[in-house]
Amino acid sequence: MFNAVESVLAAAGELPIGIKFIIEGEEELGSRHLPAFIETHRQLLKADAAFFPFYRQDVTGKPIVYLGCKGVIFFELVASGGVRGGPTRGAAHGARAVWFHNPAWWLVHALSTFLSNDQTRVLVEGFYDDISPPLAEDEELLARLEATFDPHAQLAEFAVERFKYGLEGLPLMRKYLYEPTLNLDGLEAGHAGAGNKSMIPSIARAKFDCRLVLGMRPERVISALRDHLQNRGLGQLELIVHDAYPAARTSVRAAIVQALINCYRAFGREPEVWPTITSSMPLYLFTERLGLDTVSGGLGHGGGAHAANEYAVVEGMRAFEKSLATLFYGFGNEINTEEEMRS
């Protein structure tokens, strides 16, 4: 991004648009200080749009445009022995299960109430109540996606034999894009290593991520989860929320989106436009808090994000810088055209 700005300044003497940078180094920690920063600097951050530079070409070279992302709740559920008669520290011998309570069983019973046996339906009351239907413009986008996207490539990539829904084509894609999730990330309790070790643990915990679609508010989902546990006599379980924010979305007709699409076309690439990406990032801070159309993009390919082998292709880096310089001018033209139409 900085190289692209520097190149335009060197060649033209000035930028065709004004640019404000927000740079934060806490993504791996959940961007925990970003909401307060945005709230404190609302006036400073006034703009026509927000842009998240990112390598958006897939391994085949096709550029992808995502118009939004799902929201998320990261939380854990903790069962402690002392509350119901189990050990309050360390562990007790398994033989004493005849009269001591085991928090691991307590947690397992709670988990069994969250999801249907086929894992296609969340059983928490009110979980689906606030979901917004797909936007009208989504139907055209979905029709195009159905013709170009192969969901079975996902099976091959992740070594999965079949989808949990008995669906194909557009119905399967609708589930992927517009269905919220309640996913169990991990369990921790007692002894799971080699050999025998008879014990009653003093604590058991499960970690979850919940992906939210448009219309769902994190606070309402969290409240529904607490009510669900309370109504089943499980209210003494501790529900700890680590991160929570809603979904975000920008219209395909927004000036910054059209400028990005035209940028790809200027390089002879026809992009694939998705209504949303199923992963999460706090884009709501820009779309909801600041009221800005927001999109992520740029030529180039990279992968392995957050992993030890994260990479970017060198030639893609060069293409990335060129595409951003093109985007600066394209977005400037889009904004000028909008202003002329308003006047």
Side-chain angles (χ1 to χ4, degrees):
M1 182 68 170
F2 289 138
N3 286 349
V5 169
E6 188 178 57
S7 296
V8 172
L9 288 174
E14 63 179 5
L15 294 171
I17 56 174
I19 300 178
K20 301 175 183 181
F21 289 93
I22 296 180
I23 305 169
E24 63 101 9
E26 292 186 327
E27 183 193 5
E28 298 283 356
L29 302 175
S31 300
R32 58 185 62 171
H33 292 96
L34 191 57
F37 175 85
I38 295 292
E39 193 63 34
T40 303
H41 298 89
R42 278 178 176 269
Q43 289 299 116
L44 179 64
L45 296 174
K46 284 187 174 180
D48 293 301
F51 179 70
F52 178 17
F54 204 88
Y55 301 115
R56 283 297 184 202
Q57 280 182 278
D58 65 13
V59 292
T60 70
K62 178 175 58 182
I64 311 293
V65 176
Y66 296 109
L67 300 177
C69 62
K70 289 187 176 182
V72 74
I73 303 171
F74 284 110
F75 70 96
E76 61 181 296
L77 203 58
V78 181
S80 300
V83 179
R84 278 198 163 183
T88 58
R89 64 182 184 277
H93 195 284
R96 291 177 173 80
V98 68
W99 61 4
F100 288 171
H101 192 92
N102 187 324
W105 277 120
W106 188 22
L107 179 63
V108 168
H109 290 152
L111 298 181
S112 69
T113 71
F114 279 161
L115 208 63
S116 63
N117 288 340
D118 63 0
Q119 300 185 27
T120 62
R121 185 77 181 173
V122 177
L123 302 179
V124 176
E125 297 86 346
F127 185 80
Y128 297 96
D129 286 357
D130 300 325
I131 294 177
S132 298
L135 303 179
E137 66 181 32
D138 287 8
E139 297 304 325
E140 182 179 346
L141 296 175
L142 288 171
R144 293 177 182 175
L145 280 175
E146 187 179 22
T148 61
F149 181 67
D150 178 15
H152 293 281
Q154 296 284 317
L155 298 179
E157 181 178 353
F158 296 100
V160 176
E161 292 186 5
R162 65 182 184 86
F163 295 104
K164 64 183 180 181
Y165 302 105
L167 301 171
E168 294 285 345
L170 198 53
L172 180 62
M173 188 169 292
R174 288 184 187 277
K175 287 286 187 183
Y176 181 63
L177 296 176
Y178 302 110
E179 188 88 357
T181 65
L182 179 54
N183 180 56
L184 177 58
D185 296 313
L187 293 167
E188 180 182 7
H191 174 69
N196 299 327
K197 189 173 184 179
S198 182
M199 64 182 296
I200 302 172
S202 60
I203 193 167
R205 68 180 71 240
K207 293 198 172 186
F208 301 84
D209 70 273
C210 182
R211 303 292 162 166
L212 310 179
V213 296
L214 288 177
M216 300 176 76
R217 304 304 301 180
E219 60 275 11
R220 284 178 58 82
V221 175
I222 293 167
S223 179
L225 287 166
R226 294 189 191 280
D227 289 345
H228 177 87
L229 294 170
Q230 189 68 43
N231 293 338
R232 284 156 180 77
L234 298 165
Q236 290 175 313
L237 286 167
E238 187 179 10
L239 195 157
I240 305 169
V241 178
H242 295 291
D243 201 7
Y245 53 81
R249 176 65 192 273
T250 293
S251 170
V252 69
R253 297 180 178 84
I256 186 66
V257 176
Q258 288 299 307
L260 181 61
I261 291 173
N262 289 332
C263 166
Y264 291 143
R265 289 171 175 166
F267 287 89
R269 303 282 187 175
E270 183 62 30
E272 191 172 78
V273 182
W274 286 72
T276 188
I277 190 171
T278 56
S279 55
S280 305
M281 62 187 83
L283 293 186
Y284 82 100
L285 293 170
F286 303 93
T287 60
E288 187 175 304
R289 296 281 180 87
L290 296 177
L292 302 178
D293 293 325
T294 304
V295 73
S296 170
L299 289 178
H301 172 70
H306 308 287
N309 62 343
E310 183 172 0
Y311 69 91
V313 178
V314 174
E315 190 56 40
M317 291 181 179
R318 299 189 180 101
F320 181 73
E321 293 174 19
K322 294 175 183 177
S323 68
L324 292 191
T326 303
L327 179 67
F328 299 159
Y329 285 95
F331 181 57
N333 291 336
E334 290 282 346
I335 291 298
N336 290 335
T337 300
E338 284 189 353
E339 290 178 351
E340 289 173 1
M341 292 177 64
R342 284 196 293 268
S343 62

